[in-house]
Amino acid sequence: MSFVIEVTQDRAACFALRFKVFVEEQGVPVEEEIDIMDEVAVHMLASINGKPVGTARVLFEGDTAKIGRVCVVPEGRGIGLGAALIQEGVAIARRQAGVHKVKLGAQIQALGFYEKLGFNAFGPTYLDAGIEHRDMGLSLV
């Protein structure tokens, strides 16, 4: 099964996927899921045969890009889409002048997934929307 990942302005499609995964599946409060940073983020949308199945966003702060809100709905799982979203986020970061590192907040059960993509965990475990996370980083230099 092949998929396409594109930078998009269709935030409504991204928000619908995030609602399904984060709010409905994981119990994240809806008021914590969408934030003001969505206004300035670069949004990626993954689709299979034109149907949205995954999304992520990239934020820039100084020399750091932060990948977040990564999600794939059940029908898009198990085909490498999550990894491809992260790799595309890293590629977007590499194209941004002055960006030297990428970071993300990983749910604890996903640490191994991100480690396989070159990220290293740092700092303490913390709660985000009631779910345990750890920060992870990747150097681009």
Side-chain angles (χ1 to χ4, degrees):
M1 190 177 305
S2 65
F3 52 81
V4 175
I5 299 174
E6 298 175 309
V7 170
T8 185
Q9 300 299 317
D10 187 355
R11 290 195 307 226
C14 297
F15 294 162
L17 293 169
R18 287 166 39 182
F19 185 87
K20 184 172 184 177
V21 173
F22 296 128
V23 178
E24 292 179 352
E25 282 186 32
Q26 298 181 356
V28 172
V30 68
E31 60 273 8
E32 290 184 37
E33 208 300 293
I34 294 174
D35 63 23
I36 196 160
M37 300 311 291
D38 282 312
E39 297 290 325
V40 296
V42 174
H43 295 271
M44 295 175 281
L45 186 62
S47 57
I48 297 173
N49 298 324
K51 181 177 191 256
V53 293
T55 188
R57 73 180 188 185
V58 183
L59 294 165
F60 297 98
E61 185 175 310
D63 69 347
T64 304
K66 182 176 183 194
I67 299 173
R69 302 300 201 274
V70 181
C71 69
V72 177
V73 294
E75 56 268 33
R77 294 178 187 160
I79 59 170
L81 184 51
L85 279 164
I86 298 302
Q87 290 163 338
E88 183 61 24
V90 171
I92 289 168
R94 285 186 191 282
R95 292 192 295 266
Q96 185 76 19
V99 172
H100 303 296
K101 57 189 167 194
V102 179
K103 73 175 190 175
L104 52 83
Q107 292 183 8
I108 292 298
Q109 81 274 4
L111 288 176
F113 167 78
Y114 291 111
E115 286 169 347
K116 288 178 188 168
L117 294 170
F119 286 81
N120 295 301
F122 64 91
T125 299
Y126 60 91
L127 287 179
D128 185 2
I131 301 169
E132 286 191 323
H133 284 70
R134 265 191 91 195
D135 286 330
M136 299 190 82
L138 173 72
S139 174
L140 299 179
V141 292

